[in-house]
């Protein structure tokens, strides 16, 4: 062992010994003899309990993924690996924005400093956690947009608290893209935890939904009791499944939509909260349509089309007029407002997401009503 290593180990031992004397040593021999031992124990306990609320802890939880991503990028560059392949591997090429696992689950736990007097996760902690969830999801799905100079603005957050998360319990947040319009995108985040007690509740939910679906089939088919003028008996159905048509006006029973959402979690999981984030995409002060951002990051694109999109990013000095306003534009100029000059038949981003248009419109009706309701509260 070198002399430098010996000196370093000696310094660490001395520091730990001094810390031990400060906390557990005799009051007359410690560094701070005027502080009684019980108070020192209490101070250490408070520091441990509130460790996740220390200064800059929130910043670490938020931006550590950015730092690790940067570090990974520098390792790729220094090791001589293909930067292009590494960037392509982090893009959701060909995927649907409505994929259930579009973002990796964000795992956390209800620490004492994030819990309230009811001994469960504080309402404000859901929003605090969702800050990190959104950034992690954005880094996974919109890395190319950030490289183009874009950023994401939060326009609003809506929470529906269903069940509490007890103190000390671990949970994870699963995020999906709900829908989008010409300006806003809606991100749905579900706070879920494992629970053996949830099995009974989930089985009961399954039973009620199956009864509701069976009742709908019975009503759709002619029965002897109805033909004889005898009203069919009422069945117990969930309140959300009473309306039998979907928001798009189709004949799809709404109870089927409810069942698909209610049973997203497995039988040993419980849904605690749903958070809906309303975000928009920006280049400077300019708003970029979500459809363009999605497609420019690879959603819905084939590998051949993705290679064409990469050529747009390689252009640094575009001349739109010389190229007829179509093929000569760079990606950055396209995002900064050049998309307005592209004819409808040449908007490749709309074509890439055309197969998802029906689902987008159907879901957008739900989120639009939520947005209108909140904005309508301003006039009250």
């Amino acid at each position: 062992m070198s002399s430098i290593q010996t000196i370093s180990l000696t310094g660490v031992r001395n520091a730990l010994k001094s810390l031990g004397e400060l906390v557990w040593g005799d009051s007359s021999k410690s560094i701070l003899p005027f502080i009684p031992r019980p108070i020192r124990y209490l101070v250490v306990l408070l520091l441990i309990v509130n460790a996740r609320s220390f200064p800059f802890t929130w910043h670490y939880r938020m931006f550590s993924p950015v730092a690790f991503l940067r570090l990974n990028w520098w390792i790729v560059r220094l090791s001589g690996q293909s930067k292009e392949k590494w960037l392509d591997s982090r893009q959701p090429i060909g995927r649907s924005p409505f994929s259930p696992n579009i973002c990796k689950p964000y795992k956390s736990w209800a620490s004492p400093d994030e819990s309230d007097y009811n001994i469960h996760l504080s309402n404000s902690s859901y929003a605090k956690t969702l800050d990190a969830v959104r950034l992690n999801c954005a880094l996974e799905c919109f890395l190319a947009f950030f490289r183009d100079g874009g950023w994401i603005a939060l326009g609003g957050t809506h929470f529906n608290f269903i069940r509490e998360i007890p103190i000390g319990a671990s949970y994870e947040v699963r995020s999906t893209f709900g829908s989008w319009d010409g300006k806003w995108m809606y991100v749905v985040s579900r706070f879920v935890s494992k629970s053996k007690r949830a099995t009974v509740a989930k089985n009961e939910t399954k039973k009620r939904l199956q009864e509701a679906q069976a009742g709908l089939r019975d009503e759709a088919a002619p029965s002897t009791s109805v033909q004889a003028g005898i009203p069919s008996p009422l069945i117990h159905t969930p309140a959300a499944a009473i309306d039998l048509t979907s928001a798009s006006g189709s004949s799809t029973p709404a109870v089927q939509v409810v069942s698909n959402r209610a049973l997203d979690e497995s039988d040993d999981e419980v849904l605690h909260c749903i958070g809906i984030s309303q975000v928009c995409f920006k280049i400077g002060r300019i708003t970029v349509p979500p459809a363009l951002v999605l497609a420019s990051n690879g959603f819905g694109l084939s590998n051949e089309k993705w290679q064409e999109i990469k050529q747009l990013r390689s252009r640094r000095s575009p001349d739109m007029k010389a190229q007829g306003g179509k093929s000569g534009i760079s990606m950055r100029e396209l995002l900064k407002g050049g998309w307005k000059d592209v004819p409808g038949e040449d908007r490749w981003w709309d074509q890439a997401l055309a197969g998802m248009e029906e689902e987008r419109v159907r879901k957008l009706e739900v989120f639009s009503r939520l947005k209108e309701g909140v904005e309508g509260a301003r006039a009250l």
Side-chain angles (χ1 to χ4, degrees):
M1 183 178 294
S2 65
S3 59
I4 297 178
Q5 291 176 328
T6 303
I7 295 173
S8 299
L9 290 175
T10 303
V12 171
R13 292 194 191 100
N14 292 337
L16 293 176
K17 183 178 179 180
S18 300
L19 181 61
E21 287 292 334
L22 172 64
V23 178
W24 293 284
D26 184 66
S27 299
S28 61
K29 298 180 180 180
S30 65
I31 299 176
L32 300 175
F34 54 87
I35 300 180
R37 184 179 298 178
I39 296 181
R40 281 179 280 160
Y41 288 162
L42 180 61
V43 170
V44 172
L45 179 61
L46 289 176
L47 290 176
I48 294 175
V49 168
N50 294 279
R52 300 185 75 189
S53 297
F54 283 176
F56 304 111
T57 303
W58 177 88
H59 299 82
Y60 173 80
R61 293 172 61 183
M62 276 288 296
F63 299 110
S64 57
V66 180
F68 287 121
L69 187 63
R70 286 279 188 181
L71 178 61
N72 200 347
W73 168 248
W74 281 106
I75 291 175
V76 170
R77 295 185 61 180
L78 295 175
S79 62
Q81 302 179 36
S82 173
K83 295 183 289 185
E84 182 178 353
K85 289 184 178 180
W86 184 84
L87 290 171
D88 288 350
S89 66
R90 305 190 69 90
Q91 298 298 144
I93 303 173
R95 298 188 64 183
S96 168
F98 297 118
S99 300
N101 298 319
I102 200 64
C103 302
K104 295 180 181 178
Y106 181 89
K107 297 183 180 181
S108 186
W109 67 289
S111 58
D113 56 317
E114 292 186 341
S115 301
D116 57 18
Y117 54 86
N118 290 317
I119 319 299
H120 58 66
L121 191 66
S122 172
N123 294 343
S124 61
S125 297
Y126 288 89
K128 178 180 176 181
T129 302
L130 210 54
D131 287 337
V133 171
R134 283 189 295 263
L135 182 57
N136 277 266
C137 188
L139 291 175
E140 293 178 22
C141 299
F142 304 115
L143 182 60
F145 180 66
F146 290 134
R147 288 175 56 83
D148 293 330
W151 59 287
I152 302 177
L154 178 64
T157 309
H158 316 280
F159 289 98
N160 179 22
F161 299 104
I162 302 171
R163 295 181 182 88
E164 71 280 358
I165 300 180
I167 186 172
S170 60
Y171 64 91
E172 64 181 33
V173 186
R174 304 169 184 171
S175 296
T176 57
F177 298 146
S179 188
W180 61 89
D181 54 23
K183 179 180 180 180
W184 300 104
M185 168 175 278
Y186 300 92
V187 183
V188 181
S189 301
R190 306 164 72 89
F191 290 75
V192 180
S193 70
K194 297 284 185 179
S195 174
K196 295 181 179 179
R197 294 178 298 178
T199 304
V200 177
K202 284 292 180 180
N203 290 337
E204 182 66 20
T205 302
K206 280 184 177 180
K207 181 179 179 181
R208 292 183 179 181
L209 290 171
Q210 290 172 357
E211 291 177 352
Q213 290 174 339
L216 293 176
R217 288 193 294 266
D218 293 341
E219 292 180 3
S223 60
T224 55
S225 61
V226 174
Q227 292 176 356
I230 303 175
S232 58
L234 295 176
I235 59 173
H236 179 68
T237 59
I242 295 177
D243 190 0
L244 305 184
T245 58
S246 63
S248 61
S250 64
S251 58
T252 303
V255 66
Q256 183 176 350
V257 178
V258 173
S259 64
N260 292 338
R261 297 296 178 268
L263 302 180
D264 279 346
E265 290 73 43
S266 59
D267 286 344
D268 62 341
E269 295 176 337
V270 57
L271 176 63
H272 296 276
C273 175
I274 296 178
I276 301 176
S277 302
Q278 179 182 328
V279 301
C280 64
F281 301 92
K282 296 280 189 177
I283 291 282
R285 301 291 297 177
I286 301 174
T287 301
V288 186
L292 176 56
V293 176
L294 287 168
S296 65
N297 282 268
F299 285 101
L301 295 182
S302 62
N303 289 327
E304 293 77 12
K305 189 63 178 179
W306 175 248
Q307 298 303 320
E308 297 180 14
I309 301 307
K310 288 166 62 176
Q311 294 179 5
L312 296 180
R313 290 192 165 91
S314 65
R315 296 171 181 163
R316 300 301 179 187
S317 301
D319 186 359
M320 293 178 57
K321 295 183 179 179
Q323 299 293 336
K326 297 180 182 179
S327 60
I329 189 172
S330 69
M331 178 59 71
R332 185 172 177 83
E333 291 296 323
L334 185 69
L335 296 173
K336 291 179 68 174
W339 60 271
K340 299 177 183 178
D341 300 325
V342 180
E345 62 273 11
D346 293 332
R347 296 191 173 186
W348 47 268
W349 54 91
D350 289 336
Q351 298 172 8
L353 304 176
M356 313 158 199
E357 184 64 14
E358 182 179 353
E359 184 176 4
R360 182 194 72 85
V361 173
R362 176 176 60 84
K363 293 182 176 180
L364 182 60
E365 294 184 16
V366 177
F367 297 104
S368 297
R369 290 196 296 268
L370 175 63
K371 178 175 175 290
E372 292 172 0
V374 173
E375 292 180 348
R378 298 179 183 178
L380 298 179

